[in-house]
Structures are given as C-alpha cells and as structure tokens.
C-alpha cells in the first residue's frame, strides 16, 4: 500500500503523544489552479482517521470524486469555470461518510496559477530621527490558529528597509506585526515602538497555543511604547532609549526597560507584560559595551514537562548564555527556571550558542531539551552537555537514519577550527567531523539520494556530499544550495529551496537541477535567501512555501500541484516538526525537520529501485 503512518514500531519517536497538549487540527483543505482547466485539491490525513479512511470530494455541493484509502489525499479536478468554487472533503469509512473533521476551501474567481494570493496592508513609509527615509518589507512569518477553527492564520513581521545587524550602528524604523487570514483579511497590527530595534537578532516571536485553550498566543520581547493590536500602549509612551550619538552607537538601545508580553492571537491585545528575563544587566558581561553581544536573542517553544508547551526566552551565545523558561496558563506568566552559563558548573556552556536552536526530546524522558548550538540544555534547566565547538550559523536536528538510535545533529562552526560536525543529540558524542580553517557559515541536511542510506549532509567546507558514516558520496557539490529545503514533488526525497527556486538532486549524474521557479516572488534576509515561511501549513503531508511579492504588496503561498500516491499523517502532528515551524523565524532561519526518519527507506521500494538492507 502507498500510505504510511509516522508512528510505527520501527520508527517510533521518544514522545508519548497521548500526553502532549497539542493543537486541534482541521482538515486543511486547499485548492489551487494548476492551469486554466485544472484545479489541484489536497487535504490532511490525520492520526484520528482510521487507516482505511477514504474521502468524498465535493465541488459546490456536488460529489465529484471518491478518493480511496490506498492513495494520497490529492485530487486533480477538471474545472474550467471562471466563478469561485467551494471544495468540501468528507471522510468515509466502510462506505459511510463519518462526519469526522470535514473541511472546505473556496477557490476564488480568477485564482492565480500555482499559489494562494494574500494581499497585504503595507505600512506607510517613515523617516528616522537622522532624516533617513525607509519603507516596509514583509519578512519572517509564523502560523497559529488564533480563532480556534482548526485552521491557521499567518502572523507576519514587517521589517523596515533600514533594519540593522547588531554589528552596525544606525536608527531603524519600528518593527510591526500583522495577523492575516489566507484571504488577506487583517485581524490586527502590533507596533513594537522605537525602543525595539529592527534586525534578525532582536525580535523572536513565538506563536503557539500556550494555554491549550484552542487559540494561539504570541509571546515576544517588548518595551516602553509598544502598541498592542487594540491600540493600547505598553509602559511609558514618552520614553526613548535610542542613542543619539553620531555616528558611534547611533540608534542603538543600551539601556531602558525591557518587557516580555503575551498577546492574544485573535485580537492582538496585550494580556500580560512582565520584566524581560534574561535581563540586560551590565552590557560588558555579554562581551562588549555596544549591545552587539547583549542583544543577541533566541526563543523557543518546548514541552518541558512532557505535557504543556512552555516558552523559552534566550539571550547571548558568543559569551554569556542565559535561557529562561515560562509557562502561560491563560492569566499569568510563571517562570519555570533559568539557565545561566555564569554559574560555575556551567562555564563550559559559554560561547556555544548558534544563531538558531532546535527543540526535541533527545534523551527519551518524554520531555523536551533545547539544542543550543554546540551545547544542550535539559528540560529541567540544567546543562546536558557541551561539545566545546562553539558558535555556528546553521544546525539541523532529526533522525538521520531508521537504523540509528535517537536523534542526531549536523552543525557547522565559526571558529576556523572545528568545521562541520555530526553528533548524537542526547550525549554530544561526535560521529564524524570535517575540520576546517575557515568560518563555515552554512550547512544543510536532507535525504536527497535514494541510493545512499539515511539523510545526506553537506556544508561550505564538507568537501562533498556525505552520508551518515561520514563517507563522501559525491565530491562535487557546486550545484547544491545550503539555505532551505522542502518536500515538494510527492516522492519520499526532499527538494532544496534557495531564493524562489526549488531544485532536485539528480543522483544519477550528481547535480541539482531546477524543478520550479516562483516567478514574481522573492526571498528575504540577503544571502540567506529564506522564504517568509516554509512548512506543512495546509493540504497533504507535503510542504508549502510562503514568499513575498516583488513589490511587497502581497504574500504568495505556493502549494505543490504534483500528484502523489503517498499518504502520511500531516507533519504538524509531530511536535518536533511543529516546533521547528514555530522557531523558524529565530535569527538565521532554518528549515523544518521532524523527530523521526522520513525518506525512501520508509518503503523497501522507491519507484522501482530496490534498496539493499
């Protein structure tokens, strides 16, 4: 049979899924125009669906297809109509419609080819105190079900065109956040105010249902002058902490109040604001006096008790490293623990953080740990291990092979010594390492070669494509991108995503070839070339790509129109994967990855090629 389940005995993750308080997912029906005469429709196969669940598909109330349980949750409809059309999916068991989580989606009239168009309410241009004009650009995005209907809304960060890296001086415009339905309806706007600087390292926004009431919240660092989605100002609206110096430190924020705020996902209203932890304190404690080191923030969602999602706010990774965990019960933020590398027993954890992090139950105790670059923090806020390999820009965590116990980490390092390393996520034991005398700023892990067991790895300085044993299986990786990845074309291999191009590895000739280009859409964050978001947002198990338009007036959610016979539960039901979506916006964005092996070895046959075990 061509369908499968993520939770099977041979590939079981450490999680006891029954205990986790998770989102209530709807059917996630989506329909896009593949061409003027055909519409591609797909929907979620959920873990609550019996294995023999088939589906009836309706267009405008008329049944047009019976999709059997032995194929994918995908259907290509021959529809030439110019009017809007509503597609409805109903589960069927033993020939009877069950009524279990039905779903629908309305294809708009004059729908574009290949994507959902989401018009944006672009903010007005502005001018800094130094007289510099700026405009607004859609940047990172996240997803959350803010109204409890089982479907996601998009939370979008607007960056001003003068956003700065921490290493650079200068004023920036205010950072703004919007919440949009897929129709383009805007629910609210939050203005972070001039006391929150704009740039990749300042505002990490966690979107998740933290109190398990069925609706997502947004938790992020704020300050005096932040305006919530209802127009209410947090703190002192007259406070201005920006340095006026010329040119040294101009626009930097070296002092002043810092807050942590929980916002209502549906209304944008601030529900509680407390002092931000970890606190800034003495700037020099973080490595300099310019806030280059002290204002390096990360954040995460984690099931620290194995049941409830917590938010973890982090500060510092080049020198001092502090993580603080909080629980939100719908009324109050309660601090769970603080980890501080200044604690004598944790001095080996200083300087080990990346520009991103990963979350998973790596030690099998049913509770999440935080992989913080070259070190790991246990679910109780204690240090788990530190490899001592230091800071890096990219990191990937997943189960790299069905035959390897636990989870693994592929990481790259900046110290011009340790290069790239592949390690056990639970213990830090290094399986193999490719040392280098340069700053290795990019690395990627994806199962792209069906003739080679497990997930493949490469980096700027890996000296080729490597397998889980560290063997070079292709020394020439000039055609390989190292930014993002996506499951797109419907087989069990992963494709690479760079800028607005999806490419596929041709293992027979050893090169990557362009598969699709999203014309008229562009990526974010310079050479990192990342989308606003990528992940399994709706439809079947495959992933979507969210990009901004060239004129910054809309988002485009690209959905694969390629038929697939494979049926898997949505990746969203795996907590490691779902959290990897929530943390994708953190600093240097990294692609989603599940907490289990996913690749051609899930089946003994891949399009006629028999694997040797």
């Amino acid at each position: 049979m061509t369908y499968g389940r993520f939770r099977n005995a041979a590939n079981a993750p450490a999680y006891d899924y029954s205990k986790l308080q998770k989102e209530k997912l709807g059917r996630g029906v989506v329909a896009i125009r593949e061409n003027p005469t055909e519409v591609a429709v797909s929907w979620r196969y959920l873990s609550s669906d019996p294995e023999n669940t088939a589906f009836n598909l309706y267009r405008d109330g008329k049944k047009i297809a019976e999709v059997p349980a032995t194929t994918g949750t995908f259907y290509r409809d021959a529809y030439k109509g110019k009017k809007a059309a509503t597609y409805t999916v109903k589960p069927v068991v033993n020939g009877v419609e069950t009524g279990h989580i039905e779903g629908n989606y309305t294809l708009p009239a004059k729908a574009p080819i290949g994507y959902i168009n989401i018009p944006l309410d672009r903010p007005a241009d502005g001018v800094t105190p130094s007289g510099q004009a700026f405009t607004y650009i859609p940047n990172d995005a996240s997803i959350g079900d803010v109204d409890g209907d089982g479907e996601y809304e998009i939370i979008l960060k607007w960056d001003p065109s003068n956003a700065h890296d921490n290493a650079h001086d200068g004023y920036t415009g205010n950072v703004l956040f919007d919440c949009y339905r897929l129709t383009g309806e805007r629910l609210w706007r939050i203005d972070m105010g001039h006391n929150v600087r704009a740039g990749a390292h300042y505002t990490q926004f966690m979107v998740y249902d933290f109190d398990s009431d069925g609706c997502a919240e947004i938790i992020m660092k704020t300050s005096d002058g932040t305006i919530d989605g209802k127009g209410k100002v947090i703190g002192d609206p007259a406070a201005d902490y920006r340095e006026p110096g010329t040119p040294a430190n101009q626009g930097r924020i070296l002092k002043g109040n810092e807050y942590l705020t929980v916002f209502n996902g549906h209304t944008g209203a601030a529900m509680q604001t407390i002092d931000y932890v970890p606190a800034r304190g003495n700037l020099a404690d973080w490595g300099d006096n310019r806030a280059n080191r002290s204002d390096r923030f990360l954040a995460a969602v984690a099931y620290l008790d194995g049941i409830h999602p917590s938010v973890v706010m982090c500060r510092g990774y080049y020198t001092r490293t502090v993580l603080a965990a909080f629980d939100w019960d719908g009324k109050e933020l309660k601090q769970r623990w603080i980890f501080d590398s200044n604690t004598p027993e944790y001095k080996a954890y200083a300087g080990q953080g990346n520009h991103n992090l990963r979350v998973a139950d790596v030690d099998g105790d049913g509770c999440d740990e935080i992989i913080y670059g070259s070190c790991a923090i246990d679910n109780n806020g204690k240090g788990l291990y530190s490899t001592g390999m230091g800071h890096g820009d990219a990191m990937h965590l997943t189960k790299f092979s069905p035959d390897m116990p636990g989870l693994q980490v592929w990481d790259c390092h900046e110290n011009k010594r340790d290069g790239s390393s592949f390690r056990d996520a639970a213990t830090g034991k290094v399986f193999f390492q490719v040392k280098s005398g340069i700053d290795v700023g990019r690395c990627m892990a994806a199962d792209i070669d069906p003739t080679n067991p497990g997930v493949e790895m490469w980096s700027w300085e890996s000296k080729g494509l490597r397998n889980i044993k560290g063997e070079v299986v292709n020394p020439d990786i000039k055609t390989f991108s190292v930014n993002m990845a996506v499951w797109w074309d419907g087989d069990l291999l992963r494709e690479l995503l760079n800028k607005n191009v999806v490419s596929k590895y041709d293992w027979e000739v050893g090169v990557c070839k362009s598969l699709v280009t999203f014309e008229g859409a562009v990526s974010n964050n310079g050479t990192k070339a990342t989308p606003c978001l990528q992940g399994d947002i709706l439809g079947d198990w495959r992933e979507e790509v969210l990009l901004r338009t060239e004129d910054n007036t809309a988002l485009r959610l690209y959905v694969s129109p390629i038929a697939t016979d494979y049926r898997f539960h949505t990746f969203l039901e795996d907590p490691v994967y779902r959290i990897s979506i929530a943390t994708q916006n953190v600093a240097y964005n990294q692609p989603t990855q599940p907490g289990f092996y996913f690749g051609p070895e899930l089946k003994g046959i891949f399009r006629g090629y028999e694997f040797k075990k």
Side-chain angles (χ1 to χ4, degrees):
M1 302 178 73
T2 53
Y3 63 90
R5 290 179 171 257
F6 289 146
R7 294 184 291 282
N8 55 69
N11 195 34
Y15 277 101
D16 179 354
Y17 285 94
S18 64
K19 295 181 179 180
L20 296 187
Q21 293 183 356
K22 298 186 295 180
E23 298 168 304
K24 179 182 177 181
L25 290 173
R27 191 57 65 182
V29 181
V30 63
I32 60 161
R33 273 275 173 210
E34 184 174 358
N35 55 56
T37 62
E38 292 180 301
V39 174
V41 186
S42 69
W43 57 93
R44 294 178 186 136
Y45 172 48
L46 301 166
S47 61
S48 57
D49 292 325
E51 192 167 318
N52 64 335
T53 299
F55 295 94
N56 285 338
L57 179 63
Y58 297 78
R59 185 198 331 119
D60 293 332
K62 180 182 179 181
K63 187 163 77 171
I64 60 174
E66 297 178 0
V67 180
T70 54
T71 190
T73 54
F74 179 96
Y75 183 78
R76 183 173 285 109
D77 179 32
Y79 176 60
K80 301 178 182 180
K82 304 297 183 182
K83 297 181 180 179
T86 297
Y87 289 89
T88 301
V89 172
K90 298 184 179 184
V92 177
V93 177
N94 298 324
V96 178
E97 291 184 355
T98 67
H100 172 64
I101 309 183
E102 299 178 357
N104 60 72
Y105 178 85
T106 299
L107 177 78
K110 299 180 181 179
I113 302 296
Y115 60 88
I116 299 172
N117 187 63
I118 307 169
L120 300 175
D121 183 5
R122 190 180 183 188
D125 301 345
V127 180
T128 68
S130 61
Q132 180 191 33
F134 62 88
T135 59
Y136 276 98
I137 302 168
N139 191 254
D140 293 338
S142 191
I143 53 172
D145 177 9
V146 303
D147 56 9
D149 65 354
E151 307 299 340
Y152 289 125
E153 285 70 44
I154 294 172
I155 289 76
L156 173 69
K157 182 178 77 162
W158 288 97
D159 263 358
S161 55
N162 58 358
H164 283 305
D165 185 86
N166 298 53
H168 303 149
D169 299 319
Y171 288 107
T172 73
N174 293 5
V175 177
L176 307 176
F177 284 89
D178 286 354
C179 178
Y180 291 96
R181 300 192 192 278
L182 294 184
T183 59
E185 177 189 356
R186 193 188 69 160
L187 300 185
W188 48 256
R189 172 167 290 167
I190 295 171
D191 184 337
M192 301 301 286
H194 54 243
N195 291 316
V196 175
R197 206 164 184 242
H201 305 291
Y202 296 102
T203 301
Q204 324 303 335
F205 55 105
M206 293 296 100
V207 182
Y208 213 79
D209 182 7
F210 288 100
D211 58 1
S212 301
D213 68 347
C215 300
E217 294 80 36
I218 299 93
I219 300 181
M220 52 190 173
K221 178 178 173 289
T222 59
S223 187
D224 290 307
T226 296
I227 304 173
D228 76 3
K230 289 288 192 178
K232 181 180 179 181
V233 179
I234 295 173
D236 180 3
D240 190 343
Y241 303 129
R242 295 172 295 180
E243 291 293 315
T246 306
N249 290 343
Q250 185 183 70
R252 290 182 178 274
I253 299 171
L254 309 178
K255 59 187 178 183
N257 294 324
E258 298 177 300
Y259 305 127
L260 182 64
T261 300
V262 182
F263 295 93
N264 183 292
H266 194 202
T267 66
M271 294 191 287
Q272 189 187 15
T273 296
I274 62 174
D275 289 338
Y276 185 81
V277 179
R280 178 190 294 116
N282 182 5
L283 286 178
D285 290 348
W286 305 93
D288 61 42
N289 286 304
R290 303 173 58 240
N292 183 18
R293 296 294 189 254
S294 64
D295 281 12
R296 301 281 180 161
F297 299 100
L298 303 177
V301 176
Y303 288 88
L304 299 174
D305 64 357
I307 301 173
H308 310 92
S310 301
V311 66
V312 183
M313 307 305 294
C314 318
R315 188 174 210 144
Y317 39 75
Y318 286 118
T319 51
R320 184 186 179 191
T321 293
V322 183
L323 292 76
F326 297 87
D327 298 328
W328 170 251
D329 63 4
K331 296 180 179 180
E332 184 180 3
L333 271 173
K334 297 179 181 179
Q335 186 171 294
R336 177 177 284 270
W337 49 251
I338 295 179
F339 172 91
D340 191 342
S341 66
N342 273 2
T343 304
E345 64 180 304
Y346 298 135
K347 63 181 180 180
Y349 292 74
Q352 301 303 308
N354 272 27
H355 285 304
N356 34 65
L357 43 66
R358 295 287 187 176
V359 176
D361 173 17
V362 300
D363 59 8
D365 64 357
C367 304
D368 280 338
E369 284 71 46
I370 297 141
I371 307 302
Y372 204 80
S374 293
C375 64
I377 312 304
D378 208 348
N379 66 286
N380 58 7
K382 307 295 184 182
L384 190 63
Y385 67 80
S386 175
T387 67
M389 291 185 184
H391 168 73
D393 284 4
M395 174 175 55
H396 305 273
L397 177 147
T398 189
K399 188 176 182 67
F400 278 68
S401 166
D403 299 324
M404 297 183 74
L407 302 173
Q408 297 80 39
V409 174
W410 172 240
D411 198 1
C412 58
H413 310 283
E414 193 175 272
N415 57 25
K416 299 181 181 180
R417 181 191 69 232
D418 286 306
S420 312
S421 61
F422 182 51
R423 73 177 193 257
D424 181 83
T427 65
K429 176 184 176 182
V430 177
F431 298 123
F432 73 82
Q433 183 177 5
V434 185
K435 294 197 173 187
S436 172
I438 70 168
D439 170 359
V440 182
R442 300 281 197 285
C443 66
M444 177 55 68
D447 201 340
I448 60 175
D449 186 347
T451 68
N452 188 65
V455 172
E456 287 76 45
M457 292 160 269
W458 63 101
S459 74
W460 277 359
E461 190 70 2
S462 61
K463 299 176 178 62
L465 182 69
R466 293 182 180 262
N467 61 21
I468 56 175
K469 297 179 181 179
E471 300 166 337
V472 175
V473 295
N474 184 350
D476 185 2
I477 55 174
K478 290 192 296 289
T479 61
F480 289 56
S481 62
V482 285
N483 283 329
M484 299 292 281
V486 60
W487 278 289
W488 181 261
D489 69 356
D491 62 28
L492 299 182
L493 295 171
R494 207 167 196 192
E495 287 67 56
L496 303 183
L497 172 64
N498 187 48
K499 298 182 180 178
N500 64 340
V501 178
V502 175
S503 60
K504 189 172 187 65
Y505 180 57
D506 185 335
W507 61 88
E508 293 181 333
V509 295
V511 299
C512 293
K513 299 178 180 179
S514 175
L515 191 63
V516 61
T517 298
F518 303 129
E519 300 287 353
V522 291
S523 59
N524 287 324
N525 304 315
T527 60
K528 295 167 187 66
T530 54
C532 296
L533 187 68
Q534 68 66 226
D536 182 9
I537 299 170
L538 39 64
D540 60 29
W541 57 271
R542 291 171 298 174
E543 298 182 300
E544 289 69 53
V545 178
L546 185 69
L547 293 165
R548 60 185 171 96
T549 56
E550 292 175 336
D551 62 3
N552 298 317
T553 62
L555 297 177
R556 292 180 178 179
L557 184 61
Y558 288 91
V559 181
S560 178
I562 303 171
T564 179
D565 286 336
Y566 291 105
R567 175 185 293 203
F568 294 98
H569 295 150
T570 170
F571 281 114
L572 296 164
E573 296 192 288
D574 171 56
V576 178
Y577 182 91
R578 179 62 183 91
I579 289 172
S580 76
I581 289 184
T583 59
Q584 191 176 130
N585 69 79
V586 171
Y588 293 174
N589 308 32
Q590 297 291 278
T592 54
Q593 282 168 322
F596 52 87
Y597 173 76
F598 188 87
E601 285 143 295
L602 288 179
K603 289 179 62 65
I605 283 184
F606 176 81
R607 294 197 176 178
Y609 181 90
E610 292 192 10
F611 288 92
K612 308 299 182 184
K613 295 294 183 183

